[in-house]
Amino acid sequence: METLHTIDTPELTAKLNKSEIDILHFIDSWLPTLTDWSVDELTHKCRLFRSDADDAIDMLILHGLLDNAGSCEVTGRRVSVSALAAIWMRENREPINDLFIMNNTDLFEDIEIAEG
């Protein structure tokens, strides 16, 4: 059974798993410069299996944090971030970053994990 982490705000209560948090953390690091990505790119950058990435992206779409952006002949399925979702990510940057650190302890020093 996977662990779900809840970010509760008046606008949205998001129950997120590790893959969803990894994707949000990556996307947030590029906003507002980039607002759309290929699913393959997110899979690679977040070090996920494609099936896990597809499941996570589908759940993020259901939460309203991502939108389908069609597909491209070269890059395949694409997703984008709406303006409202970008604002939500910006307002919840700290909990997203803390959860990312707690879920990826091998990437950080002990002091960083304790702060998260």
Side-chain angles (χ1 to χ4, degrees):
M1 182 159 191
E2 70 183 341
T3 301
L4 295 178
H5 304 280
T6 303
I7 299 177
D8 192 14
T9 63
E11 302 84 25
L12 170 73
T13 297
K15 294 186 182 288
L16 306 168
N17 67 18
K18 181 187 180 310
S19 299
E20 295 159 0
I21 291 166
D22 288 350
I23 290 170
L24 288 179
H25 181 265
F26 176 78
I27 287 173
D28 183 55
S29 70
W30 284 98
L31 290 175
T33 306
L34 298 175
T35 58
D36 71 298
W37 294 267
S38 74
V39 173
D40 285 338
E41 179 182 15
L42 291 173
T43 301
H44 175 72
K45 297 292 185 179
C46 296
R47 297 173 293 155
L48 300 170
F49 292 111
R50 177 60 191 253
S51 62
D52 292 338
D54 281 333
D55 291 345
I57 287 168
D58 289 342
M59 285 305 298
L60 291 171
I61 289 170
L62 288 174
H63 282 307
L65 298 173
L66 292 179
D67 296 320
N68 278 313
S71 67
C72 170
E73 290 182 22
V74 176
T75 61
R77 180 182 179 196
R78 298 189 66 78
V79 293
S80 63
V81 177
S82 70
L84 288 175
I87 291 168
W88 185 89
M89 285 184 216
R90 194 172 323 122
E91 290 174 351
N92 292 285
R93 178 173 286 152
E94 187 174 339
I96 291 169
N97 287 339
D98 291 348
L99 290 169
F100 178 78
I101 290 169
M102 290 172 26
N103 285 332
N104 295 286
T105 56
D106 56 321
L107 300 176
F108 301 95
E109 298 292 326
D110 290 341
I111 190 70
E112 293 172 303
I113 297 166
E115 289 173 2

